[in-house]
Amino acid sequence: MLPAYARVDLAFERGEGVWLIATNGDRYLDFASGVAVNALGHSHPQVVKAITEQAKRVIHVSNLYRIPEGERLADRLCALSFADKVFFANSGAEAMEGVIKLVRKFQSADGHPERYRIVTFEGSFHGRTLATLAAAKNKKHLDGFGPVMDGFDQVPLGDVEALKRAITPETAGILIEPVQGEGGVRSAPPQFFRALRQICDDRGLLLAFDEVQTGIGRLGEMFGYQKLGVTPDVMALAKGLGAGFPIGAVLVTEEAAKGMTPGTHGSTFGGNPLACAVGNAVLDVVTKPGFLDHVRRIEILFKQRLAEMKDRHPSVIAEVRGEGLLIGLKSQVPNTELIDAFRAEKLLAVGAGDNVARLVPPLIVSEAEVAEAIARVDRACTAVERAQQGARGQGAAG
Ligand SMILES: *Cc1c(COP(=O)(O)O)cnc(C)c1O
């Protein structure tokens, strides 16, 4: 395989809920969730049933025809959100490409073809296509890939004055994640998001949210914007929406969608019957009364217990941050070392920017599983401390 990933030498043959079983039989507590994707854990019976039943009927027909499973999923997503229209894609980056194109097209259709630039924020992540890389402006991700696509102006997260300075007569919209996931579980205060909404309203700009990671219950509300109390004009979803099956979506108001007429955008696979059947199964579970209450209850418990871990292991954990079940541990040691120590205790976590270890368990995680994860975090931090003491001892001896 193309060595584009630094893979861990570990493979899994099976999953059950919050657990992944390795090919050698070892059981791992999965607080990585395939990078915040497996919202319902592994082998969720309703997801398995949706896939098998839909696969027997029809998997793919193309967007040349009506797709009832997609129409149903779109109707439900609109009923749950601010949106009036939905476009389906296959991934987060593709959904974000759709958002970027839609923002530009809206301005063009609104009589402002000169408005094509989008203001983005430092530390953001929007995917690995050329446009989404240009939006996030992460030098590491752009290096060697030729001229960076024009049309994005970046400002520090939370800096309203810098944002106002960045807006020009060519600005079309503002793009932000409710909580930066890949960037290190960083966020701005709600008043910053309210300021963005106000600026967009005053100047005729679109406010776009990248909810690829925060959407579908991850923050304890169905969508992150509901927690902020600030409504965007357009947003992207992906990760949790398919709970492991690839699907992305652009959700948008009627007004903001007005440029997107037949022929303006498309996808061969996007929104096929199988993907949409899975999306519907995910919504069946996540919209059940009490589901999001469970997420919020677990959030409080998990954060309390992690705060205890920070107090017990101050030379390992610098800070506990995040919302819902998108939680970051700012590490005192390189985050890769902390994640390796977790894995040695058979607890899976994911790295993020700003030297953070991300803990993003399936939303169905139980209190007992959180307690088990905390025991493993405790042992892993103790192991890191021992290694620190060993290194200091050696330093003194040498
Ligand atoms: C993961 C992610 C993406 C990219 O999704 P892919 O499915 O990997 O293309 C975009 N934006 C955010 C906020 C993400 O977390």
Side-chain angles (χ1 to χ4, degrees):
M1 291 210 273
L2 190 73
Y5 301 100
R7 294 178 196 271
V8 172
D9 184 15
L10 183 60
F12 301 101
E13 61 176 19
R14 199 153 59 77
E16 295 164 359
V18 181
W19 298 87
L20 270 176
I21 295 96
T23 44
N24 68 359
D26 285 348
R27 290 173 65 86
Y28 285 78
L29 196 48
D30 183 10
F31 276 42
S33 299
V35 193
V37 165
N38 298 303
L40 306 184
H42 300 281
S43 311
H44 191 284
Q46 279 167 266
V47 173
V48 172
K49 183 164 174 263
I51 292 174
T52 46
E53 289 190 352
Q54 187 60 45
K56 283 183 206 157
R57 280 200 291 273
V58 62
I59 293 174
H60 176 84
V61 295
S62 96
N63 288 299
L64 295 172
Y65 314 103
R66 288 181 59 180
I67 299 174
E69 299 78 10
E71 290 177 10
R72 174 155 183 258
L73 181 57
D75 285 346
R76 296 173 79 187
L77 288 170
C78 289
L80 289 165
S81 74
F82 67 88
D84 306 309
K85 300 282 177 200
V86 177
F87 177 86
F88 289 115
N90 307 288
S91 68
E94 264 186 63
M96 279 308 309
E97 287 274 339
V99 167
I100 292 164
K101 287 179 70 177
L102 184 145
V103 167
R104 290 180 171 199
K105 195 73 168 178
F106 163 79
Q107 294 293 358
S108 168
D110 201 43
H112 291 287
E114 77 286 1
R115 294 187 182 175
Y116 71 99
R117 307 192 68 83
I118 297 176
V119 180
T120 64
F121 295 91
E122 288 174 14
S124 61
F125 180 79
H126 301 296
R128 295 290 200 135
T129 61
L130 288 168
T132 54
L133 288 177
K137 292 195 192 292
N138 182 327
K139 284 195 187 61
K140 255 187 2 211
H141 292 170
L142 284 162
D143 184 45
F145 292 110
V148 179
M149 186 182 150
D150 181 38
F152 300 94
D153 301 297
Q154 198 165 72
V155 299
L157 186 63
D159 189 337
V160 178
E161 291 315 310
L163 172 76
K164 285 182 177 162
R165 282 195 302 275
I167 294 171
T168 72
E170 293 184 337
T171 302
I174 300 172
L175 166 62
I176 191 165
E177 296 155 82
V179 176
Q180 290 186 348
E182 308 299 310
V185 192
R186 292 166 69 236
S187 191
Q191 60 265 30
F192 181 68
F193 288 88
R194 286 198 289 274
L196 298 187
R197 181 70 271 175
Q198 191 63 51
I199 290 166
C200 286
D201 290 345
D202 292 347
R203 307 189 189 203
L205 312 180
L206 290 188
L207 181 58
F209 277 12
D210 180 345
E211 293 231 27
V212 167
Q213 189 152 166
T214 53
I216 314 295
R218 179 57 58 189
L219 302 189
E221 294 284 348
M222 186 58 71
F223 306 108
Y225 80 84
Q226 293 164 329
K227 190 152 183 181
L228 291 166
V230 172
T231 304
D233 301 295
V234 54
M235 74 176 170
L237 300 176
K239 291 189 165 90
L241 180 58
F245 196 91
I247 183 170
V250 177
L251 275 64
V252 60
T253 63
E254 177 106 50
E255 168 67 9
K258 70 183 179 188
M260 305 306 285
T261 51
T264 50
H265 195 41
S267 165
T268 299
F269 294 118
N272 79 24
L274 184 55
C276 291
V278 178
N280 277 310
V282 170
L283 289 192
D284 289 343
V285 178
V286 178
T287 58
K288 258 196 213 120
F291 186 92
L292 294 173
D293 294 328
H294 168 82
V295 175
R296 291 189 286 263
R297 208 164 46 240
I298 294 285
E299 169 189 3
I300 292 167
L301 170 74
F302 195 28
K303 278 184 173 166
Q304 274 171 351
R305 299 300 315 275
L306 287 171
E308 287 167 30
M309 290 299 109
K310 172 184 167 288
D311 292 343
R312 248 167 98 93
H313 305 285
S315 70
V316 182
I317 301 172
E319 190 191 340
V320 180
R321 61 202 198 195
E323 306 269 337
L325 293 180
L326 171 51
I327 297 187
L329 301 180
K330 172 118 173 133
S331 179
Q332 302 276 28
V333 297
N335 60 350
T336 49
E337 271 176 42
L338 184 57
I339 290 163
D340 288 349
F342 288 159
R343 199 170 54 253
E345 295 295 336
K346 307 216 165 23
L347 172 67
L348 302 178
V350 208
D354 202 24
N355 206 34
V356 162
R358 239 180 316 169
L359 294 167
V360 280
L363 306 181
I364 53 147
V365 65
S366 71
E367 291 188 14
E369 286 156 342
V370 166
E372 183 54 44
I374 291 293
R376 293 175 189 216
V377 167
D378 197 13
R379 290 201 297 271
C381 290
T382 302
V384 171
E385 285 161 353
R386 290 220 181 91
Q388 287 171 334
Q389 281 154 12
R392 268 202 299 278
Q394 267 187 352

